[in-house]
Amino acid sequence: MPCLTKPLDGGRALIDIRVLPSHAFVQAKRIAIPRQYSAKALMDTGAGITAIDETIAENLVLRSKGPAQIGGVAGHRTHQQYDVDLVIILDGQTYSI
């Protein structure tokens, strides 16, 4: 993974990404061409996990792995967990993570 050296966008570290169902899910379901969702992502260097908006999960028709308690500066909340693959798009290059 490259070192990201992009200017901040309004004081926020935003990058272009594509979210798609995990490779394991696609293989298990024998999906020829999986749906993809393009979005702007906020890089949070203090985060221990990656979070996606619920509308992305709905658009990709993802199946939840179950709830999890997620903690942050605003306290703890319950969110659904999903297996996804992420592609970072940086200066025309793509990086799968």
Side-chain angles (χ1 to χ4, degrees):
M1 177 60 74
C3 178
L4 301 178
T5 55
K6 301 283 288 179
L8 296 178
D9 183 352
R12 301 178 300 169
L14 295 177
I15 58 170
D16 292 314
I17 63 163
R18 279 195 307 260
V19 182
L20 49 151
S22 70
H23 184 71
F25 178 82
V26 169
Q27 282 189 323
K29 296 293 184 181
R30 297 187 175 158
I31 301 170
I33 302 173
R35 293 182 182 192
Q36 297 184 21
Y37 193 96
S38 296
K40 290 273 188 195
L42 176 64
M43 296 289 292
D44 182 351
T45 58
I49 62 167
T50 299
I52 62 171
D53 190 273
E54 194 72 25
T55 58
I56 296 174
E58 291 169 3
N59 183 278
L60 295 175
V61 193
L62 298 176
R63 176 170 286 165
S64 172
K65 291 179 53 179
Q69 285 290 318
I70 308 297
V73 293
H76 287 78
R77 293 180 43 192
T78 301
H79 294 277
Q80 296 302 313
Q81 300 179 83
Y82 302 95
D83 279 333
V84 298
D85 289 341
L86 296 176
V87 177
I88 294 175
I89 305 160
L90 185 63
D91 296 329
Q93 298 288 327
T94 58
Y95 304 92
S96 297
I97 56 171

